[in-house]
Amino acid sequence: QARMLARTRIAVASGTAALLSRHRSVAELLSGGEALGGSADEEISNWSATHSAMPSLYFEPDSTDAVGQVIAFMHAAGQKLRVVGSALSPNGIGLSDGAMINMAQCSKILSVDPERRQVTVQAGARVSEVVEALRPHGLTLQNYASIAEQQIGGFVQVGAHGTGAAIPPVDEQVVSMRLITPALGEICLSEADNPRLFRLARVGLGALGVVSEVTLQCVPAHKLVQRVSVETRAGIAARHAELLQHQHMRYMWIPHTDTVVVVTCDPLGEGDGGGAPPPPVDEAWATEPLRELLLQRAPEQKAGASGMNFAQLRDALLELAPLDKSHVADVNRAEAAFWKRSQGARVDWSDRILGFECGGQQWVSEVALPCGAVGASDGRDLQYMTDLLALIEASDIPAPSPIEQRWSRRSASPMSPAHSAGEDDLHSWVGIIMYLPIDRPEARQAITDAFWDYNAVCRRQLWPKYDAHQHWAKIEPPADAAERAAVRRRLRDRFPVDEFNAARRELDPKNILSNRLLDALLEADP
């Protein structure tokens, strides 16, 4: 069987070779890692503090040469080395109790090509930094996830996405990339150079190599007009085809209400920018329903409530009784009133419009499901929501708001949850959520247990019916062995897991780049 790659190794730096020659045991090899800049006794947590790790060594190299030295060193030692970005992923996909490597100091903007509308960056560059580097050239990224602090490497490796029925997930912006692999050193991938592996590696989960450099396709910088409106469920059904025509569009469904928040964004047309900007929403007035409910339920918070914004008020309200379905429904109704008062428009650059407030610490689970073609939804996206809301409202699930629904065109990356064959295939992304208090461990655990029950109901009753699969940054293996095996089987049915694992064996034969999460999801059943 032909190898996927030519055997083109890079030389291990002389300093690394010297270390390897001096250290014989694994313990000695790990201690030698400190000479490469590794530190011990670091605790790394993800953004919501739902996952943490105590890596044996934590590396933050400041050059790609240093990255190569660390990878070569750990490969020789046969020890784990998991790459992590900004640690934003809800499931902690980048964490490991083995060694970890963070690309944050490899963050240079290497070049901008205005003619081709392309930018080449090191993988540790944050989305926000790339956007600012593009701004003087009149360019921007095609789409954004909600958070601009993601490192570019993680942004593409987990298959991040924004929203827009005609816009694919962000991995489709990747023109070429460089991977530093344990077995073959640095390799360059593009559609012209090993296209099948290139597509596989675009959503490579950090398991095929450490992304060191990425070239992204950009678009001309543009302003967007964002409009926030409120619809009923029946109104959404009647207007859905029309609403999908907007360049960017998302729904926020509010359980236990007949309110759906619609957020649309479209380019500011020529001649549209001459008038005065729309007046901002009066937040004190808009948040009044939430503030009044908080003072009814917790009058002792009167002093602090006046200074709270929308997200803080919602968090404070939910913290009072996060698992009481009746209370959560009351909070949702107050939130619906907030959104009715927040309808309006704003105009700004696309990067400033498409990022948005995600709320506090949280559990979140998101799936992608096929739903027809661009410009012609087959109705499965709305039927999924009808079934999900009916399931919630007929059960004891204390589901807070919002259930967010977004759309994307298909991805050609085989490991993307939005991968499919048709160029115009349409996929919908649906995310459920529960919010976590920061300093109440018992309450956090109770909410965690309730959320996984909520997620399990969706996994059993909805996902197989709609061919829905979780976002790689939000998938968690079930605790039950039989259900975990069922998840693995569904993944193998949906993704080319055997091909992906073959690439892993080729590029990382000692499996040092993996962690327990990936092994649990991608290993074959015994």
Side-chain angles (χ1 to χ4, degrees):
Q1 184 176 355
R3 290 286 191 180
M4 297 184 71
L5 290 167
R7 289 274 178 180
T8 53
R9 296 177 180 272
I10 56 170
V12 176
S14 58
T16 305
L19 280 170
L20 293 175
S21 68
R22 288 201 303 269
H23 298 286
R24 303 294 178 87
S25 70
V26 168
E28 288 175 328
L29 282 166
L30 288 175
S31 67
E34 295 181 2
L36 294 173
S39 59
D41 301 320
E42 300 266 3
E43 182 173 9
I44 311 298
S45 297
N46 68 338
W47 175 64
S48 281
T50 53
H51 292 274
S52 63
M54 290 285 292
S56 55
L57 284 169
Y58 188 72
F59 295 94
E60 291 186 285
D62 60 5
S63 70
T64 54
D65 285 346
V67 174
Q69 291 178 21
V70 171
I71 292 171
F73 184 78
M74 298 303 289
H75 175 59
Q79 296 295 305
K80 294 291 187 184
L81 179 69
R82 185 69 181 145
V83 63
V84 67
S86 301
L88 295 170
S89 296
N91 64 355
I93 193 172
L95 303 183
S96 173
D97 286 329
M100 291 171 57
I101 184 168
N102 191 318
M103 298 292 286
Q105 294 192 62
C106 294
S107 59
K108 294 178 182 175
I109 311 299
L110 298 173
S111 66
V112 178
D113 185 336
E115 188 173 321
R116 292 185 178 181
R117 296 176 180 169
Q118 293 177 358
V119 61
T120 300
V121 303
Q122 291 184 320
R126 296 180 186 271
V127 172
S128 56
E129 295 168 338
V130 176
V131 170
E132 292 308 315
L134 289 171
R135 208 178 297 280
H137 301 276
L139 297 173
T140 194
L141 299 180
Q142 183 184 41
N143 211 348
Y144 298 87
S146 55
I147 301 172
E149 295 311 303
Q150 292 167 300
Q151 291 181 18
I152 290 293
F155 186 55
V156 300
Q157 282 289 281
V158 298
H161 64 94
T163 191
I167 302 173
V170 298
D171 52 278
E172 281 286 324
Q173 299 176 38
V174 179
V175 175
S176 63
M177 60 196 300
R178 291 178 181 266
L179 286 181
I180 302 179
T181 71
L184 303 183
E186 184 176 84
I187 60 175
C188 303
L189 299 173
S190 68
E191 284 289 352
D193 189 358
N194 207 321
R196 180 62 185 178
L197 183 59
F198 169 62
R199 294 185 206 114
L200 202 63
R202 286 194 303 192
V203 183
L205 312 178
L208 300 181
V210 174
V211 178
S212 61
E213 184 179 305
V214 181
T215 297
L216 298 168
Q217 189 65 51
C218 305
V219 298
H222 55 282
K223 288 187 174 182
L224 293 173
V225 181
Q226 175 182 277
R227 292 182 173 86
V228 177
S229 60
V230 169
E231 263 292 0
T232 63
R233 296 181 188 180
I236 290 294
R239 297 183 58 209
H240 185 53
E242 164 209 334
L243 291 168
L244 278 176
Q245 301 307 309
H246 291 279
Q247 181 164 301
H248 306 272
M249 194 272 289
R250 60 188 171 99
Y251 296 153
M252 291 186 285
W253 300 80
I254 303 183
H256 306 291
T257 76
D258 192 28
T259 299
V260 186
V261 182
V262 181
V263 182
T264 65
C265 301
D266 295 287
L268 182 69
E270 290 186 19
D272 291 347
V281 171
D282 182 343
E283 186 170 9
W285 174 73
T287 55
E288 193 174 62
L290 291 154
R291 188 173 294 103
E292 288 180 353
L293 182 61
L294 179 61
L295 296 181
Q296 289 172 15
R297 303 287 166 91
E300 69 277 7
Q301 296 199 36
K302 183 176 181 180
S306 61
M308 292 182 183
N309 64 24
F310 158 65
Q312 291 167 335
L313 285 164
R314 180 176 59 193
D315 286 350
L317 277 163
L318 290 172
E319 192 169 343
L320 298 176
L323 301 182
D324 182 328
K325 178 180 176 179
S326 176
H327 173 74
V328 172
D330 287 343
V331 177
N332 287 358
R333 284 187 280 271
E335 180 170 342
F338 161 79
W339 284 111
K340 288 173 183 175
R341 295 181 178 207
S342 299
Q343 297 178 89
R346 60 184 276 242
V347 176
D348 210 332
W349 294 103
S350 62
D351 59 288
R352 296 169 184 164
I353 289 282
L354 295 174
F356 54 89
E357 169 66 67
C358 293
Q361 293 188 358
Q362 57 198 239
W363 280 110
V364 62
S365 174
E366 185 181 37
V367 294
L369 59 130
C371 58
V374 174
S377 166
D378 62 12
R380 288 163 57 82
D381 45 1
L382 293 192
Q383 189 58 50
Y384 183 95
M385 288 307 309
T386 298
D387 288 356
L388 174 55
L389 290 164
L391 185 156
I392 290 168
E393 290 162 2
S395 72
D396 293 327
I397 297 172
S401 174
I403 299 174
E404 187 175 52
Q405 186 170 29
R406 293 185 275 179
W407 287 264
S408 73
R409 187 189 288 266
R410 70 93 188 224
S411 167
S413 303
M415 294 298 287
S416 168
H419 172 73
S420 56
E423 187 175 340
D424 290 330
D425 288 350
L426 180 65
H427 297 260
S428 183
W429 301 78
V430 179
I432 60 173
I433 195 167
M434 280 190 180
Y435 301 93
L436 293 165
I438 295 175
D439 297 319
R440 295 173 55 201
E442 290 184 6
R444 285 177 70 94
Q445 186 57 55
I447 294 167
T448 297
D449 293 343
F451 182 77
W452 293 119
D453 288 343
Y454 181 11
N455 189 67
V457 169
C458 296
R459 183 175 66 244
R460 295 166 191 154
Q461 298 189 32
L462 295 178
W463 299 352
K465 177 180 177 181
Y466 288 94
D467 194 24
H469 290 270
Q470 280 184 289
H471 190 307
W472 286 109
K474 297 164 187 175
I475 185 172
E476 305 262 1
D480 179 78
E483 292 206 19
R484 194 162 58 249
V487 168
R488 283 199 299 270
R489 286 193 294 274
R490 287 199 75 226
L491 289 173
R492 297 182 78 84
D493 289 342
R494 176 68 177 88
F495 301 104
V497 172
D498 288 340
E499 182 183 6
F500 189 75
N501 284 340
R504 291 169 70 197
R505 289 190 294 272
E506 174 78 10
L507 302 174
D508 180 22
K510 297 181 183 179
N511 197 33
I512 71 166
L513 297 178
S514 189
N515 59 7
R516 285 195 298 269
L517 173 65
L518 288 186
D519 287 341
L521 295 173
L522 299 176
E523 67 185 11
D525 289 330

